[in-house]
Amino acid sequence: MDNQRRYVTFKEKLSISFASINSYVVSSMIASYLLYFYTDIFLLPMAAVPVLMGAARIWDTVNDPIMGILIDRTKNGKRGRMRKYFFYFAVPMGIFTALLFAAPDLSNAWKVVFAVVTYFIFDTLYTVTDVPLWSLISVTTPNTGERAKTLSLAVTVGSVGSVIPMLVVPMLADRFGERRGYFGFAAIIGLFGMCALFSVYRNAKERIQPAKEEQLPVKKIIRIASQNTPMLLTLLATMLSCTRYLLQISAVYVANYNIQSSFSPGTVQIIMVVIIAAGMFTGMLVTPPLYTRFGYKKVYIFFGVMGAVVLSAAYFVGYDNFYAILPFLAIGGIPLGVFSTIAYPMVGDSLDYLEWKTGERLEGFCFSLNSSVTKFNNAFAAITVSVFLVLIHFKQPVENAMGVVVQQAQTAQTLDGIFALVTLLPAAGFALAIIPMLFYRFTGKRKEAILRELEERRREQQEAALSQSNV
């Protein structure tokens, strides 16, 4: 039976893990530092930043679903339906990862042009390699339990990668200066990404193929996907919790402006990252056994409440005593890890529901929507921070007469606003995410019955195909 046999080899898991680490490292670098890089290092005009972020996200809402549809309409060939994208686009992806954090000496107008060109090309290449990666994982095995574990493994080890930039970049910036430190790290991860994607191309296998070798019309793909209720509720909950990403983006501002300490801002940031990461990893580790025992719905709601309560409390504790807020950040990191891990297996399981209801799986399109939502969250968080900084009258650093970038003093109201970005706003996101989960029904005995019926259908289809081949 499909749910008893194991398919995914150790070599495949290793390659997938490296690729997922690369995906999360790049995503974390963008989420944690691109906004700060634009405002405080590249000195991009402040008014251009939210416009650039918003325009890029509009493009994201288009290119992710297009990529998913392209995968679902692609016939299997020598290089596979998904693996071929790693072969063709790994090198360009690595190059533009590095260029995104280059800071050439240009006029303000040309800085905007350089940022727009590099960001949009990078964003497109990221989509062209990331959507196929997560779609590929869903077709490496027909075993639902093994698929969920493989997705959870990819998310968990990938999330380890998400912490790497937050730890390494401040150290490189302190050692070599921010401009060289940021670009150097981006160049390193660009090279690593090339190797990781080629490894998946070489080692991974696509074991589930479409039942019908036909190219579904785009309208039909969208109509079928709209019937995937568990996926839609999962994606809605993920979108509503988008302000949790502010923890990553805003930590660098809190470290540089809020915390008064004998430590350097880079060291303060590392301490904050380690504390939050400790909670995140705890959440990631407990998520698979918890949802296996209690189901996705109960786990999602419980940790949504935890995140809302703990991070709200952190705001009222305040930032004057740095060490007093660390326990709240650690506990607040637990639901952050849970929410980062649980969406992927939920979307993966929803493909079984979709196949049971419609006879189609649409791995590419469904995972492209998940990827699109993740990018939307990152973008919304970045736009929120950039707009919020304007509203609270944040004073951008300036270059002095000697060409040295110098930070300006901030008002108490501005500092309170910055601190709210890592406490109150993420808390609100956790609370809102609970609402869609109240309507989630693909769980418990109903889910078990659907999976049994689906497995029986697959067996009958295999037997019918075998009988026809013998005639």
Side-chain angles (χ1 to χ4, degrees), residues 388-395 410-411 414:
F388 204 72
L389 290 176
V390 174
L391 294 177
I392 62 177
H393 306 294
F394 171 77
K395 298 176 183 177
Q410 309 294 335
T411 66
T414 301

Side-chain angles (χ1 to χ4, degrees), residues 225-239:
S226 67
Q227 299 178 60
N228 192 347
T229 306
M231 178 195 71
L232 296 177
L233 289 171
T234 300
L235 296 182
L236 179 58
T238 303
M239 290 180 68

Side-chain angles (χ1 to χ4, degrees), residues 101-223:
F101 285 89
D105 189 12
L106 302 169
S107 66
N108 281 345
W110 280 108
K111 283 182 180 180
V112 174
V113 172
F114 182 83
V116 168
V117 171
T118 54
Y119 195 179
F120 272 79
I121 295 178
F122 161 82
D123 189 66
T124 302
L125 290 169
Y126 185 84
T127 296
V128 171
T129 54
D130 196 58
V131 172
L133 172 64
W134 297 102
S135 302
L136 172 69
I137 297 173
S138 71
V139 298
T140 54
T141 172
N143 182 324
T144 56
E146 186 179 32
R147 181 174 60 242
K149 288 180 180 178
T150 304
L151 282 164
S152 292
L153 173 66
V155 172
T156 301
V157 298
S159 297
V160 174
S162 70
V163 179
I164 292 174
M166 293 183 278
L167 294 175
V168 177
V169 171
M171 291 188 289
L172 292 178
D174 281 348
R175 177 67 177 82
F176 300 105
E178 288 187 323
R179 182 169 295 206
R180 286 189 294 176
Y182 277 57
F183 177 72
F185 184 79
I188 292 171
I189 63 175
L191 180 61
F192 175 80
M194 294 182 199
C195 299
L197 292 174
F198 275 120
S199 175
V200 175
Y201 166 75
R202 182 179 181 85
N203 296 322
K205 289 180 170 50
E206 301 174 25
R207 295 183 176 87
I208 301 178
Q209 298 299 330
K212 305 171 186 177
E213 284 290 334
E214 64 173 331
Q215 292 189 343
L216 294 174
V218 174
K219 288 184 178 179
K220 187 173 181 180
I221 289 176
I222 296 173
R223 186 172 67 251

